[in-house]
Coordinates of all heavy atoms in Angstrom, one line a residue:
M1 N -5.8 74.5 -256.4 CA -5.3 73.2 -256.2 C -4.4 73.2 -255.0 O -3.5 74.0 -254.9 CB -4.7 72.5 -257.4 CG -4.1 71.2 -257.2 SD -3.3 70.8 -258.8 CE -3.0 69.1 -258.5
Q2 N -4.7 72.3 -254.0 CA -3.8 72.3 -252.7 C -2.6 71.4 -252.9 O -2.7 70.4 -253.5 CB -4.7 71.8 -251.5 CG -4.0 72.0 -250.2 CD -4.8 71.5 -249.0 OE1 -6.0 71.2 -249.2 NE2 -4.3 71.5 -247.9
E3 N -1.6 72.0 -252.5 CA -0.2 71.3 -252.6 C 0.0 70.6 -251.3 O 0.0 71.2 -250.2 CB 0.8 72.4 -252.9 CG 2.1 71.9 -253.4 CD 3.1 73.0 -253.8 OE1 2.6 74.0 -254.2 OE2 4.3 72.8 -253.5
N4 N 0.4 69.3 -251.5 CA 0.9 68.6 -250.2 C 2.4 68.8 -250.1 O 3.2 68.3 -250.9 CB 0.6 67.1 -250.4 CG -0.8 66.8 -250.2 OD1 -1.5 67.5 -249.6 ND2 -1.3 65.7 -251.0
R5 N 2.7 69.5 -249.0 CA 4.2 69.8 -248.7 C 4.6 69.1 -247.4 O 3.9 69.0 -246.5 CB 4.3 71.3 -248.6 CG 3.9 72.0 -249.8 CD 3.9 73.5 -249.7 NE 5.3 74.0 -249.5 CZ 5.5 75.2 -249.2 NH1 4.5 76.1 -249.1 NH2 6.7 75.7 -249.2
I6 N 5.8 68.7 -247.4 CA 6.4 68.1 -246.2 C 7.0 69.3 -245.4 O 7.7 70.1 -245.9 CB 7.5 67.1 -246.6 CG1 6.9 65.9 -247.4 CG2 8.2 66.6 -245.3 CD1 8.0 65.1 -248.0
C7 N 6.6 69.3 -244.1 CA 7.1 70.2 -243.2 C 8.3 69.7 -242.5 O 8.1 68.9 -241.6 CB 6.0 70.6 -242.2 SG 6.6 71.8 -240.9
R8 N 9.5 70.1 -242.9 CA 10.6 69.6 -242.3 C 10.8 70.0 -240.8 O 11.3 69.3 -239.9 CB 11.9 70.0 -243.0 CG 11.9 69.5 -244.4 CD 13.2 69.9 -245.2 NE 13.0 69.5 -246.6 CZ 13.2 68.3 -247.1 NH1 13.5 67.4 -246.4 NH2 13.0 68.1 -248.4
R9 N 10.2 71.1 -240.5 CA 10.3 71.6 -239.1 C 9.4 70.7 -238.3 O 9.9 70.4 -237.1 CB 9.8 73.1 -239.1 CG 10.2 73.6 -237.8 CD 9.9 75.1 -237.8 NE 10.2 75.7 -236.5 CZ 9.9 77.0 -236.3 NH1 9.3 77.8 -237.1 NH2 10.2 77.4 -235.1
C10 N 8.3 70.3 -238.7 CA 7.4 69.4 -238.0 C 8.2 68.1 -237.7 O 8.1 67.4 -236.7 CB 6.2 69.2 -238.6 SG 5.1 70.6 -238.7
L11 N 8.9 67.6 -238.7 CA 9.6 66.3 -238.6 C 10.7 66.4 -237.4 O 10.8 65.6 -236.5 CB 10.3 65.9 -239.8 CG 9.4 65.5 -240.9 CD1 10.2 65.2 -242.2 CD2 8.6 64.3 -240.6
L12 N 11.3 67.5 -237.3 CA 12.2 67.8 -236.2 C 11.4 67.9 -234.9 O 11.9 67.3 -233.9 CB 13.0 69.1 -236.3 CG 14.1 69.1 -237.4 CD1 14.6 70.5 -237.6 CD2 15.2 68.1 -237.1
E13 N 10.3 68.5 -234.9 CA 9.5 68.6 -233.6 C 9.0 67.2 -233.1 O 8.8 67.1 -231.9 CB 8.3 69.5 -233.8 CG 8.8 71.0 -233.9 CD 7.6 71.9 -234.2 OE1 6.5 71.5 -234.4 OE2 7.9 73.2 -234.3
E14 N 8.9 66.3 -234.0 CA 8.5 65.0 -233.6 C 9.5 64.3 -232.6 O 9.2 63.5 -231.9 CB 8.3 64.1 -234.8 CG 7.0 64.5 -235.6 CD 7.0 63.7 -236.9 OE1 7.6 62.7 -237.1 OE2 6.3 64.3 -237.8
L15 N 10.8 64.8 -232.8 CA 11.8 64.1 -231.9 C 11.8 64.9 -230.7 O 12.7 65.7 -230.4 CB 13.1 64.2 -232.7 CG 14.3 63.5 -232.0 CD1 14.0 62.0 -232.1 CD2 15.5 63.7 -232.8
G16 N 10.9 64.6 -229.7 CA 10.8 65.2 -228.4 C 11.8 64.6 -227.4 O 12.4 63.5 -227.7
A17 N 12.0 65.2 -226.3 CA 12.9 64.6 -225.3 C 12.4 63.2 -224.9 O 13.4 62.4 -224.6 CB 12.9 65.6 -224.1
S18 N 11.2 62.9 -224.8 CA 10.8 61.6 -224.3 C 11.3 60.5 -225.4 O 11.6 59.4 -224.9 CB 9.3 61.5 -224.2 OG 8.7 61.8 -225.4
D19 N 11.4 60.8 -226.6 CA 11.9 59.9 -227.6 C 13.4 59.6 -227.3 O 13.9 58.6 -227.4 CB 11.8 60.5 -229.0 CG 10.3 60.5 -229.5 OD1 9.5 59.8 -228.9 OD2 10.0 61.2 -230.4
L20 N 14.1 60.7 -227.1 CA 15.6 60.6 -226.7 C 15.8 59.8 -225.5 O 16.7 58.9 -225.4 CB 16.2 62.1 -226.6 CG 16.3 62.7 -227.9 CD1 16.8 64.2 -227.6 CD2 17.2 62.1 -228.8
I21 N 14.9 60.0 -224.5 CA 15.1 59.3 -223.3 C 14.8 57.8 -223.5 O 15.6 56.9 -223.1 CB 14.2 59.8 -222.1 CG1 14.7 61.1 -221.7 CG2 14.0 58.8 -221.0 CD1 13.7 61.9 -220.8
Q22 N 13.9 57.5 -224.3 CA 13.6 56.1 -224.7 C 14.7 55.5 -225.4 O 15.1 54.3 -225.2 CB 12.3 56.0 -225.5 CG 11.9 54.5 -225.6 CD 10.6 54.4 -226.3 OE1 9.7 55.2 -226.3 NE2 10.3 53.2 -226.8
T23 N 15.3 56.3 -226.4 CA 16.4 55.7 -227.1 C 17.7 55.5 -226.2 O 18.3 54.5 -226.4 CB 16.8 56.9 -228.2 OG1 15.7 57.1 -229.1 CG2 17.9 56.4 -229.1
L24 N 17.8 56.4 -225.3 CA 18.8 56.2 -224.3 C 18.7 54.9 -223.5 O 19.6 54.2 -223.4 CB 18.9 57.4 -223.4 CG 20.0 57.4 -222.4 CD1 21.4 57.5 -223.0 CD2 19.9 58.7 -221.4
E25 N 17.5 54.7 -223.0 CA 17.2 53.4 -222.4 C 17.5 52.2 -223.2 O 18.0 51.3 -222.7 CB 15.8 53.5 -221.8 CG 15.5 54.4 -220.7 CD 16.5 54.3 -219.5 OE1 16.7 53.0 -219.1 OE2 16.9 55.3 -219.0
E26 N 17.1 52.3 -224.5 CA 17.3 51.1 -225.4 C 18.7 50.9 -225.6 O 19.2 49.8 -225.7 CB 16.6 51.4 -226.7 CG 15.1 51.2 -226.6 CD 14.3 51.8 -227.7 OE1 14.9 52.2 -228.7 OE2 13.0 51.8 -227.7
L27 N 19.5 52.0 -225.7 CA 20.9 52.0 -225.9 C 21.6 51.3 -224.7 O 22.5 50.5 -224.9 CB 21.5 53.3 -226.2 CG 22.9 53.5 -226.7 CD1 23.1 52.9 -228.0 CD2 23.4 54.9 -226.7
K28 N 21.2 51.8 -223.6 CA 21.7 51.2 -222.3 C 21.6 49.7 -222.2 O 22.5 49.0 -222.0 CB 21.0 51.9 -221.1 CG 21.7 53.1 -220.6 CD 21.0 53.4 -219.2 CE 21.0 54.9 -218.9 NZ 20.2 55.3 -217.8
E29 N 20.3 49.3 -222.5 CA 20.0 47.9 -222.5 C 20.8 47.1 -223.5 O 21.2 45.9 -223.2 CB 18.5 47.7 -222.8 CG 17.6 48.1 -221.5 CD 16.1 48.1 -221.8 OE1 15.7 47.4 -222.7 OE2 15.4 48.7 -221.0
A30 N 21.1 47.7 -224.6 CA 21.7 46.9 -225.7 C 23.3 47.0 -225.5 O 23.9 46.1 -226.0 CB 21.5 47.6 -227.1
M31 N 23.8 47.8 -224.6 CA 25.2 47.9 -224.4 C 25.6 46.9 -223.4 O 25.0 46.7 -222.3 CB 25.5 49.3 -223.9 CG 27.1 49.5 -223.8 SD 27.4 51.2 -223.2 CE 26.8 52.2 -224.6
P32 N 26.6 46.0 -223.7 CA 27.1 45.0 -222.8 C 27.5 45.8 -221.4 O 28.1 46.9 -221.4 CB 28.4 44.4 -223.4 CG 28.2 44.7 -224.8 CD 27.5 46.0 -224.9
E33 N 27.1 45.1 -220.2 CA 27.3 45.8 -219.0 C 28.8 46.2 -218.8 O 29.1 47.3 -218.2 CB 26.8 44.9 -217.8 CG 26.7 45.7 -216.5 CD 25.8 45.0 -215.6 OE1 24.9 44.2 -216.0 OE2 25.9 45.3 -214.4
E34 N 29.7 45.4 -219.2 CA 31.2 45.7 -219.1 C 31.6 46.8 -219.9 O 32.7 47.5 -219.6 CB 32.1 44.5 -219.4 CG 32.0 44.1 -220.9 CD 30.9 43.0 -221.1 OE1 30.0 42.8 -220.3 OE2 31.1 42.3 -222.1
D35 N 30.8 47.4 -220.8 CA 31.1 48.5 -221.6 C 30.5 49.8 -221.0 O 30.9 50.9 -221.4 CB 30.7 48.4 -223.1 CG 31.4 47.4 -223.8 OD1 32.5 47.0 -223.3 OD2 31.0 46.9 -224.9
R36 N 29.5 49.7 -220.1 CA 28.9 50.8 -219.5 C 29.6 51.4 -218.4 O 30.2 50.7 -217.6 CB 27.5 50.4 -219.1 CG 26.5 50.1 -220.1 CD 25.2 49.8 -219.3 NE 24.6 48.5 -219.9 CZ 23.8 47.8 -219.3 NH1 23.3 48.2 -218.2 NH2 23.4 46.7 -219.8
A37 N 29.5 52.7 -218.3 CA 30.0 53.4 -217.1 C 29.0 53.0 -216.0 O 27.8 52.9 -216.2 CB 30.0 54.9 -217.2
D38 N 29.5 52.7 -214.7 CA 28.6 52.3 -213.7 C 27.8 53.6 -213.2 O 28.2 54.7 -213.6 CB 29.3 51.7 -212.5 CG 30.3 52.6 -211.8 OD1 30.0 53.8 -211.6 OD2 31.4 52.2 -211.3
S39 N 26.7 53.3 -212.5 CA 25.8 54.4 -212.3 C 26.4 55.6 -211.5 O 26.2 56.8 -211.8 CB 24.6 54.0 -211.5 OG 24.9 53.4 -210.3
A40 N 27.4 55.3 -210.6 CA 28.1 56.4 -209.8 C 29.0 57.2 -210.8 O 28.9 58.4 -210.8 CB 28.9 55.8 -208.8
E41 N 29.6 56.6 -211.7 CA 30.4 57.3 -212.6 C 29.6 58.1 -213.6 O 30.0 59.2 -214.0 CB 31.4 56.3 -213.4 CG 32.3 56.9 -214.5 CD 33.2 58.1 -214.0 OE1 33.4 58.3 -212.8 OE2 33.8 58.8 -214.9
Y42 N 28.5 57.5 -214.1 CA 27.6 58.1 -215.0 C 27.0 59.4 -214.4 O 27.1 60.5 -215.0 CB 26.4 57.1 -215.3 CG 25.5 57.6 -216.5 CD1 26.0 57.9 -217.8 CD2 24.2 57.7 -216.2 CE1 25.1 58.3 -218.7 CE2 23.3 58.3 -217.1 CZ 23.8 58.5 -218.4 OH 22.9 58.9 -219.4
G43 N 26.6 59.2 -213.1 CA 26.1 60.4 -212.4 C 27.2 61.5 -212.2 O 26.8 62.7 -212.3
R44 N 28.3 61.1 -211.9 CA 29.5 62.0 -211.7 C 29.7 62.8 -213.0 O 29.9 64.1 -213.0 CB 30.8 61.3 -211.3 CG 31.9 62.2 -210.9 CD 33.2 61.3 -210.7 NE 33.8 60.9 -211.9 CZ 34.7 61.7 -212.6 NH1 34.9 62.9 -212.3 NH2 35.2 61.2 -213.7
R45 N 29.7 62.1 -214.1 CA 30.0 62.8 -215.5 C 28.8 63.8 -215.8 O 29.2 64.9 -216.1 CB 30.1 61.6 -216.5 CG 31.3 60.8 -216.4 CD 31.2 59.7 -217.5 NE 32.4 58.9 -217.5 CZ 32.7 57.8 -218.3 NH1 31.8 57.6 -219.2 NH2 33.8 57.2 -218.2
L46 N 27.7 63.4 -215.6 CA 26.6 64.3 -215.9 C 26.5 65.5 -215.0 O 26.1 66.6 -215.4 CB 25.3 63.5 -215.8 CG 25.1 62.4 -216.9 CD1 23.7 61.8 -216.8 CD2 25.3 63.0 -218.4
A47 N 26.9 65.3 -213.7 CA 27.0 66.4 -212.8 C 28.1 67.4 -213.3 O 27.8 68.7 -213.2 CB 27.3 66.0 -211.4
I48 N 29.1 67.0 -213.8 CA 30.1 67.8 -214.3 C 29.6 68.5 -215.6 O 29.8 69.8 -215.8 CB 31.5 67.0 -214.7 CG1 32.1 66.5 -213.4 CG2 32.4 67.9 -215.4 CD1 33.1 65.5 -213.5
C49 N 29.0 67.8 -216.4 CA 28.4 68.5 -217.7 C 27.3 69.5 -217.3 O 27.4 70.6 -217.9 CB 27.7 67.4 -218.6 SG 28.8 66.2 -219.2
R50 N 26.6 69.3 -216.3 CA 25.6 70.3 -215.9 C 26.1 71.6 -215.5 O 25.6 72.7 -215.7 CB 24.8 69.8 -214.7 CG 23.7 68.8 -215.1 CD 22.7 68.5 -214.0 NE 21.9 67.4 -214.2 CZ 22.1 66.2 -213.8 NH1 23.1 65.9 -213.0 NH2 21.3 65.3 -214.1
E51 N 27.5 71.6 -215.0 CA 28.1 72.8 -214.6 C 29.0 73.4 -215.7 O 29.6 74.4 -215.6 CB 29.0 72.5 -213.4 CG 28.2 72.0 -212.2 CD 27.2 73.0 -211.7 OE1 27.5 74.3 -211.6 OE2 26.1 72.6 -211.4
C52 N 29.0 72.8 -216.9 CA 29.9 73.1 -217.9 C 29.3 74.1 -218.8 O 28.1 74.0 -219.4 CB 30.4 71.8 -218.7 SG 31.6 72.2 -220.1
D53 N 30.1 75.1 -219.3 CA 29.7 76.1 -220.2 C 29.4 75.6 -221.6 O 28.7 76.2 -222.5 CB 30.6 77.3 -220.3 CG 30.7 78.1 -219.0 OD1 29.7 78.1 -218.2 OD2 31.7 78.9 -218.8
S54 N 30.0 74.4 -221.9 CA 29.7 73.8 -223.2 C 28.5 73.1 -223.4 O 28.2 72.6 -224.4 CB 30.9 73.0 -223.5 OG 32.1 73.7 -223.6
L55 N 27.7 72.9 -222.2 CA 26.4 72.2 -222.4 C 25.4 73.1 -223.0 O 25.3 74.3 -222.5 CB 26.0 71.7 -221.0 CG 24.7 70.9 -220.9 CD1 24.9 69.6 -221.6 CD2 24.3 70.7 -219.5
N56 N 24.8 72.6 -224.0 CA 23.8 73.3 -224.7 C 22.5 72.5 -225.1 O 22.7 71.7 -226.0 CB 24.4 74.0 -226.0 CG 23.5 74.9 -226.8 OD1 22.5 75.4 -226.2 ND2 23.7 74.9 -228.0
D57 N 21.4 72.7 -224.3 CA 20.3 71.8 -224.7 C 20.5 70.4 -224.7 O 20.1 69.7 -225.6 CB 19.6 72.3 -225.9 CG 18.9 73.6 -225.8 OD1 18.5 74.0 -224.6 OD2 18.5 74.3 -226.8
G58 N 21.4 69.9 -223.8 CA 21.6 68.5 -223.7 C 22.7 68.1 -224.6 O 23.1 66.9 -224.5
T59 N 23.3 68.9 -225.4 CA 24.3 68.5 -226.3 C 25.7 69.2 -225.8 O 25.7 70.2 -225.2 CB 24.2 68.8 -227.8 OG1 24.0 70.3 -227.9 CG2 22.9 68.1 -228.2
C60 N 26.8 68.6 -226.1 CA 28.1 69.1 -225.9 C 28.5 70.0 -227.0 O 28.7 69.5 -228.2 CB 29.1 68.0 -225.6 SG 30.8 68.6 -225.4
A61 N 28.9 71.2 -226.8 CA 29.3 72.2 -227.9 C 30.7 71.8 -228.4 O 31.1 72.1 -229.5 CB 29.3 73.6 -227.4
K62 N 31.4 70.9 -227.6 CA 32.8 70.5 -228.1 C 32.7 69.4 -229.1 O 33.6 69.3 -229.9 CB 33.6 70.1 -226.9 CG 33.9 71.2 -225.9 CD 34.8 72.1 -226.4 CE 35.0 73.3 -225.4 NZ 35.9 74.3 -226.0
C63 N 31.7 68.6 -229.0 CA 31.6 67.5 -230.0 C 30.3 67.2 -230.6 O 30.2 66.5 -231.6 CB 32.0 66.1 -229.2 SG 30.8 65.8 -227.9
G64 N 29.3 67.9 -230.1 CA 27.9 67.8 -230.7 C 27.1 66.6 -230.2 O 26.0 66.3 -230.6
C65 N 27.8 65.7 -229.3 CA 27.1 64.6 -228.7 C 26.0 65.0 -227.7 O 26.2 66.0 -227.1 CB 28.0 63.7 -228.0 SG 29.3 62.9 -229.0
Y66 N 25.0 64.2 -227.6 CA 24.1 64.3 -226.4 C 24.9 63.8 -225.3 O 25.5 62.6 -225.4 CB 22.8 63.4 -226.6 CG 21.8 64.1 -227.5 CD1 21.7 63.7 -228.8 CD2 21.1 65.2 -227.1 CE1 20.8 64.3 -229.7 CE2 20.2 65.8 -227.9 CZ 20.1 65.4 -229.2 OH 19.2 66.0 -230.1
V67 N 25.1 64.6 -224.3 CA 26.1 64.1 -223.2 C 25.6 62.9 -222.5 O 26.4 62.1 -222.0 CB 26.3 65.3 -222.2 CG1 27.0 66.5 -222.8 CG2 25.0 65.8 -221.5
E68 N 24.3 62.7 -222.4 CA 23.8 61.5 -221.7 C 24.2 60.2 -222.4 O 24.3 59.2 -221.9 CB 22.3 61.5 -221.4 CG 21.9 62.5 -220.3 CD 20.5 63.1 -220.6 OE1 20.4 64.0 -221.4 OE2 19.7 62.7 -219.8
F69 N 24.3 60.4 -223.8 CA 24.8 59.2 -224.6 C 26.3 59.0 -224.4 O 26.8 58.0 -224.2 CB 24.5 59.4 -226.1 CG 23.0 59.3 -226.4 CD1 22.1 60.3 -226.2 CD2 22.5 58.1 -226.9 CE1 20.7 60.2 -226.5 CE2 21.2 57.9 -227.2 CZ 20.3 58.9 -227.0
R70 N 27.0 60.2 -224.5 CA 28.4 60.2 -224.5 C 29.0 59.6 -223.1 O 29.9 58.9 -223.1 CB 29.0 61.5 -224.7 CG 30.6 61.5 -224.9 CD 31.2 62.9 -225.3 NE 32.5 62.8 -225.4 CZ 33.2 62.5 -226.6 NH1 32.5 62.6 -227.7 NH2 34.5 62.4 -226.7
A71 N 28.3 60.0 -222.1 CA 28.7 59.6 -220.8 C 28.5 58.2 -220.4 O 29.0 57.6 -219.5 CB 28.1 60.5 -219.6
L72 N 27.6 57.6 -221.2 CA 27.2 56.2 -220.9 C 28.3 55.1 -221.1 O 28.3 54.3 -220.3 CB 26.0 55.9 -221.9 CG 25.2 54.6 -221.6 CD1 24.5 54.7 -220.3 CD2 24.1 54.6 -222.7
K73 N 29.1 55.4 -222.1 CA 30.1 54.4 -222.4 C 31.3 54.6 -221.5 O 31.9 55.7 -221.4 CB 30.5 54.4 -223.8 CG 31.2 53.2 -224.3 CD 31.3 53.2 -225.8 CE 31.8 51.9 -226.3 NZ 31.9 51.8 -227.7
K74 N 31.8 53.5 -220.8 CA 32.9 53.5 -219.9 C 34.1 54.2 -220.4 O 34.8 54.9 -219.8 CB 33.2 52.1 -219.4 CG 34.1 52.1 -218.3 CD 34.7 50.6 -218.0 CE 33.5 49.7 -217.7 NZ 34.1 48.3 -217.2
R75 N 34.5 53.8 -221.6 CA 35.8 54.2 -222.2 C 35.6 55.6 -222.8 O 36.8 56.2 -223.2 CB 36.2 53.2 -223.3 CG 36.6 52.0 -222.7 CD 36.9 50.9 -223.7 NE 38.1 50.4 -223.5 CZ 38.8 49.6 -224.3 NH1 38.3 49.3 -225.6 NH2 39.9 49.1 -224.0
M76 N 34.5 56.3 -222.9 CA 34.4 57.6 -223.5 C 35.0 58.6 -222.5 O 35.2 58.3 -221.3 CB 32.8 57.8 -223.7 CG 32.6 58.9 -224.7 SD 33.5 58.8 -226.3 CE 32.3 57.7 -227.1
Y77 N 35.3 59.7 -223.1 CA 35.8 60.8 -222.2 C 35.3 62.1 -222.6 O 34.7 62.3 -223.7 CB 37.4 60.8 -222.3 CG 37.8 60.9 -223.7 CD1 38.1 62.1 -224.3 CD2 38.1 59.8 -224.5 CE1 38.4 62.3 -225.7 CE2 38.4 59.8 -225.8 CZ 38.6 61.1 -226.4 OH 39.0 61.1 -227.7
C78 N 35.4 63.1 -221.8 CA 35.1 64.4 -222.1 C 35.9 65.0 -223.2 O 37.2 65.0 -223.0 CB 35.0 65.3 -220.9 SG 35.1 67.0 -221.1
P79 N 35.4 65.7 -224.2 CA 36.2 66.2 -225.4 C 36.9 67.6 -225.1 O 37.5 68.1 -225.9 CB 35.3 66.3 -226.5 CG 33.9 66.6 -225.9 CD 33.9 65.8 -224.6
H80 N 36.6 68.2 -223.9 CA 37.0 69.4 -223.5 C 38.6 69.4 -223.5 O 39.2 68.4 -223.1 CB 36.5 69.8 -222.2 CG 36.6 71.3 -221.9 ND1 37.8 71.9 -221.4 CD2 35.7 72.4 -221.9 CE1 37.6 73.1 -221.3 NE2 36.5 73.5 -221.5
E81 N 39.2 70.6 -223.9 CA 40.7 70.7 -223.8 C 41.3 70.2 -222.5 O 42.3 69.7 -222.3 CB 41.1 72.1 -224.2 CG 40.6 72.7 -225.4 CD 39.2 73.2 -225.3 OE1 38.8 73.8 -224.4 OE2 38.5 72.9 -226.4
E82 N 40.4 70.6 -221.4 CA 40.9 70.3 -220.0 C 40.4 68.9 -219.5 O 40.6 68.5 -218.4 CB 40.4 71.4 -219.1 CG 41.0 72.7 -219.3 CD 40.3 73.9 -218.6 OE1 39.6 73.6 -217.7 OE2 40.6 75.0 -219.0
R83 N 39.7 68.2 -220.4 CA 39.2 66.8 -220.2 C 38.6 66.8 -218.7 O 39.2 66.2 -217.8 CB 40.3 65.8 -220.3 CG 39.8 64.4 -220.6 CD 40.8 63.5 -221.2 NE 40.3 62.2 -221.3 CZ 41.0 61.3 -221.9 NH1 42.2 61.5 -222.4 NH2 40.4 60.1 -222.1
K84 N 37.4 67.2 -218.7 CA 36.8 67.3 -217.4 C 36.3 66.0 -216.7 O 36.1 65.9 -215.5 CB 35.5 68.2 -217.5 CG 36.0 69.7 -217.9 CD 34.7 70.6 -218.0 CE 35.3 72.0 -218.2 NZ 34.2 73.0 -218.0
W85 N 36.1 65.0 -217.5 CA 35.9 63.6 -217.0 C 36.5 62.6 -218.0 O 36.8 62.8 -219.1 CB 34.4 63.3 -216.6 CG 33.4 63.6 -217.8 CD1 32.6 64.7 -217.8 CD2 33.0 62.8 -218.8 NE1 31.7 64.6 -218.8 CE2 32.0 63.5 -219.5 CE3 33.4 61.5 -219.3 CZ2 31.4 62.9 -220.7 CZ3 32.8 61.0 -220.4 CH2 31.8 61.7 -221.1
Ligands
SF4_1 S1 32.9 69.7 -222.5 FE1 32.9 67.8 -221.3 S2 32.0 68.4 -219.3 FE2 31.5 70.0 -220.9 S3 29.5 69.4 -221.8 FE3 31.1 68.5 -223.1 S4 31.4 66.4 -222.2 FE4 30.4 67.6 -220.6

């Protein structure tokens, strides 16, 4: 008799980068413009994250956030002890 088992690993694999990018776009669209970091500031933040040792596969080791999400909100800040942005 064959057993139907749920593969938890496969469920994780379903969440590919393209899903995250789409979610990011939806989040951007839903966020009031006055709450969003402008594109120059957003780019500046991500450029700093790219050079940071705490960046790990798109997430920040200091807080666990996806940095592209964290950097999106104007009032958000870098959680590093030295507060890089
Ligand atoms: S510590 Fe700051 S600069 Fe480094 S990855 Fe996290 S948010 Fe980005």
Side-chain angles (χ1 to χ4, degrees):
M1 181 178 190
Q2 188 174 357
E3 196 177 323
N4 287 333
R5 300 170 70 184
I6 296 171
C7 175
R8 294 182 193 281
R9 193 167 178 192
C10 290
L11 291 174
L12 286 175
E13 286 176 354
E14 287 169 21
L15 191 63
S18 59
D19 291 339
L20 288 172
I21 290 165
Q22 184 172 346
T23 301
L24 181 65
E25 288 305 315
E26 289 167 3
L27 189 69
K28 267 189 209 174
E29 285 172 21
M31 188 181 291
E33 196 157 337
E34 62 269 21
D35 292 342
R36 285 185 233 160
D38 65 39
S39 60
E41 175 60 12
Y42 186 62
R44 186 187 77 84
R45 292 174 175 184
L46 293 182
I48 293 169
C49 290
R50 279 192 194 98
E51 299 299 317
C52 181
D53 289 342
S54 295
L55 183 64
N56 181 22
D57 285 342
T59 63
C60 173
K62 297 289 179 184
C63 62
C65 294
Y66 285 102
V67 295
E68 286 154 286
F69 286 83
R70 188 172 181 98
L72 191 59
K73 198 165 187 180
K74 190 192 297 184
R75 297 176 125 186
M76 197 54 83
Y77 56 88
C78 163
H80 195 281
E81 305 77 44
E82 294 168 13
R83 203 166 178 170
K84 299 183 176 195
W85 51 262

